[in-house]
């Protein structure tokens, strides 16, 4: 289809449909550990940005749970990357960070939410994407809430299902 815009060439390793190879692990000091499955769609339409949809499901019932969508931008010619994210929980955030080869670490720069979002409210999010040597993609998410300092919430690995 549309040729890859050269601006996003450094993020080409993220493109594709990714499906978790085994259920991801959810944790946080205040909750029961849980498992989930997730599919990522990361694509482009020729513009200098990636588009994404992350869809998570209950690992047994397969019911849709957490969903995020948005855009990934890279500052042309630099290693600065920004995520623009909307979550179905009523959260909107901007995360920024640096690309280092095929690893990307981001910190939330702004987090806002709908007036009736569930508590506790998340205050800060940090996440890492890494392409492993075996071709799997790994995502780790940490968050801080009103009651808890930055702690791990999610860890999952994906296999590429389609380009
Ligand atoms: C709980 C935020 C992604 C599943 C929570 C809590 C927060 C939160 C603030 C409440 C913690 C507490 O009670 O102290 C987020 C954020 C996410 C995210 C900011 C993305 C950046 C996900 C994903 C799943 C998930 C992908 C996959 C299914 C859960 C579950 C709980 C939970 C099962 C515990 C039950 C509940 O309170 O609903 N999350 N979450 N979360 N999250 Fe996430």
């Amino acid at each position: 289809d549309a040729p890859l815009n050269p601006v996003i060439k450094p993020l080409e390793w993220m493109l594709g449909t990714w499906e978790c190879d085994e259920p991801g692990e959810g944790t946080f000091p205040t909750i029961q550990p849980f498992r989930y499955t997730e599919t990522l769609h990361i694509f482009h339409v020729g513009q200098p940005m990636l588009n994404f949809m992350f869809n998570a499901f209950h690992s047994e019932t397969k019911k849709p749970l957490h969903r995020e969508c948005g855009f990934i931008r890279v500052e042309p010619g630099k290693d600065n990357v920004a995520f623009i994210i909307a979550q179905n929980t009523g959260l909107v955030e901007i995360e920024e960070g640096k690309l280092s080869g095929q690893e990307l670490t981001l910190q939330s720069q702004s987090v806002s939410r709908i007036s009736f979002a569930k508590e506790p409210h998340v205050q800060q999010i940090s996440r890492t994407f890494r392409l492993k040597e075996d071709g799997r993609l790994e995502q780790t998410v940490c968050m801080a809430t009103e009651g808890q300092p930055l702690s791990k919430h999610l860890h999952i690995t994906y296999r590429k299902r389609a380009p």
Side-chain angles (χ1 to χ4, degrees), residues 10-69:
L11 297 175
E12 194 175 12
W13 56 276
M14 299 186 84
L15 283 170
T17 294
W18 300 87
E19 201 153 294
C20 62
D21 52 342
E22 54 183 2
E25 295 155 8
T27 53
F28 205 62
T30 45
I31 65 173
Q32 284 292 332
F34 65 92
R35 310 280 276 175
Y36 67 103
T37 62
E38 190 173 40
T39 304
L40 314 182
H41 300 280
I42 306 176
F43 60 99
H44 72 92
V45 294
Q47 293 182 310
M49 68 199 67
L50 300 180
N51 299 239
F52 72 82
M53 293 184 288
F54 296 172
N55 300 327
F57 303 87
H58 191 282
S59 63
E60 267 115 51
T61 65
K62 317 285 182 212
K63 260 179 53 179
L65 292 173
H66 193 269
R67 299 169 80 87
E68 308 179 49
C69 63

Side-chain angles (χ1 to χ4, degrees), residues 28 30-32 34-38 56-58 65-66 68 87 91 93 95 118-122 125 127 141 143 145 148 153-154:
F28 205 62
T30 45
I31 65 173
Q32 284 292 332
F34 65 92
R35 310 280 276 175
Y36 67 103
T37 62
E38 190 173 40
F57 303 87
H58 191 282
L65 292 173
H66 193 269
E68 308 179 49
Q87 305 191 9
L91 198 73
E93 45 152 342
E95 293 181 14
K118 207 170 143 190
E119 295 189 346
H121 290 167
V122 63
I125 299 163
R127 62 177 114 196
V141 176
M143 66 177 175
T145 59
Q148 291 294 326
H153 185 38
L154 307 166

Side-chain angles (χ1 to χ4, degrees), residues 70-159:
F71 304 94
I72 308 173
R73 311 234 355 190
V74 57
E75 189 176 352
K78 299 267 175 63
D79 55 6
N80 297 323
V81 174
F83 273 49
I84 304 134
I85 311 176
Q87 305 191 9
N88 63 346
T89 50
L91 198 73
V92 170
E93 45 152 342
I94 297 210
E95 293 181 14
E96 292 202 12
K98 294 227 181 245
L99 186 64
S100 164
Q102 297 180 330
E103 177 167 337
L104 180 57
T105 300
L106 305 141
Q107 324 285 345
S108 57
Q109 304 300 310
S110 87
V111 173
S112 42
R113 64 186 62 80
I114 59 172
S115 59
F116 49 94
K118 207 170 143 190
E119 295 189 346
H121 290 167
V122 63
Q123 302 297 306
Q124 196 191 336
I125 299 163
S126 121
R127 62 177 114 196
T128 301
F129 292 89
R130 184 167 73 96
L131 187 67
K132 295 161 69 100
E133 275 177 14
D134 62 11
R136 285 183 301 156
L137 183 68
E138 179 179 39
Q139 181 178 194
T140 308
V141 176
C142 296
M143 66 177 175
T145 59
E146 289 157 310
Q148 291 294 326
L150 203 62
S151 315
K152 196 191 273 191
H153 185 38
L154 307 166
H155 179 259
I156 189 166
T157 54
Y158 316 89
R159 249 180 236 295

